[in-house]
Amino acid sequence: VRVIGELATAQVEALFRLAGNDGPRLKNLANGIDARKVTPDHETKSVSSETTLDVDLSLFDDLEPVLWRLCEKTSKRLKAQELAGRTITLKLKTAEFHSITRAVRLPEPTQLAGRLFAAGRDLLRRECTGARVRLVGIGASDLHPPGDADHGDLADVATPRLKAMEGALDALRARFGDAAIGKGLSLRAPQRPGSTSRKPAAAEDPDA
């Protein structure tokens, strides 16, 4: 027996002599018969977005709008998957291909772009020390059901307001499209100092 076709049509007795108890099982597999349980979906461990820049950036003011757009994208994915994350991770890759990851744990899980951004922004600011950055990513892990997320407390009355505001914006985008409304920060153009053009252009976010 040299190919799958021969295995599929071989006599069980001959296969048993060749491979013992594995013979009949291999014949079944060759014919597409497999009694093992199929698990098509794996448990999601994290939800993230990242982008490779077409211009290396080093200034915080230039990287900040990139981070915001990624936070919006990650927030949208969390909501679509009915998940919320408590650990927020910033990922950077420098022009020299040095990878940097920094994480922070929130008091409660979140789905909100604003909370993802607030956490990621603090992490990003600490890493903007002059190195040129070619890739930026933001992700949420330690995942929970959305019912556990964004309640706030007596010391945090801003989160419920942010949740209501983002809910209203999500409704507008669902009706009129993602471009219907946005944050002015996302439109900020990079400054020239601290940026280095690179070709080819950016490869945006392969559904990280």
Side-chain angles (χ1 to χ4, degrees), residues 2 16 24 31 52 55 57 83 89 92 105 107 113 117-118 124 134 138 151 153 185 191 208:
R2 295 167 297 175
F16 189 83
N31 284 283
T52 299
V55 175
L57 302 174
L83 294 170
T89 301
L92 302 173
R105 183 174 170 83
F117 180 65
L124 176 64
R134 63 179 284 122
I138 192 77
H151 296 295
D153 54 32
L185 173 63
Q191 303 175 40

Side-chain angles (χ1 to χ4, degrees), residues 62 64-70 72 117 173 178 181-190:
D62 290 343
E64 188 182 25
V66 177
L67 178 65
W68 168 252
R69 291 191 291 270
L70 294 173
E72 285 193 305
F117 180 65
R173 288 167 178 155
D178 288 344
I181 189 167
K183 195 178 181 75
L185 173 63
S186 65
L187 303 177
R188 183 195 297 166

Side-chain angles (χ1 to χ4, degrees), residues 44-49 73-75 77-78 81 83 138-141 143 208:
T44 301
K45 300 294 185 182
S46 66
V47 177
S48 63
S49 304
K73 188 173 292 187
T74 301
S75 172
R77 290 175 176 171
L78 284 166
Q81 296 180 49
L83 294 170
I138 192 77
S141 57
L143 299 176

Side-chain angles (χ1 to χ4, degrees), residues 78 156 175:
L78 284 166
D156 177 14
R175 184 174 180 183

Side-chain angles (χ1 to χ4, degrees), residues 63-105:
L63 291 164
E64 188 182 25
V66 177
L67 178 65
W68 168 252
R69 291 191 291 270
L70 294 173
C71 288
E72 285 193 305
K73 188 173 292 187
T74 301
S75 172
K76 184 177 181 179
R77 290 175 176 171
L78 284 166
K79 293 167 183 172
Q81 296 180 49
E82 297 186 341
L83 294 170
R86 191 170 183 183
T87 299
I88 310 306
T89 301
L90 174 74
K91 176 182 176 181
L92 302 173
K93 186 176 289 186
T94 69
E96 291 73 32
F97 293 90
H98 174 60
S99 294
I100 300 167
T101 56
R102 298 289 183 266
V104 63
R105 183 174 170 83

Side-chain angles (χ1 to χ4, degrees), residues 10 52 96 129 157 172:
T52 299
E96 291 73 32
T129 57
V157 296
L172 285 173

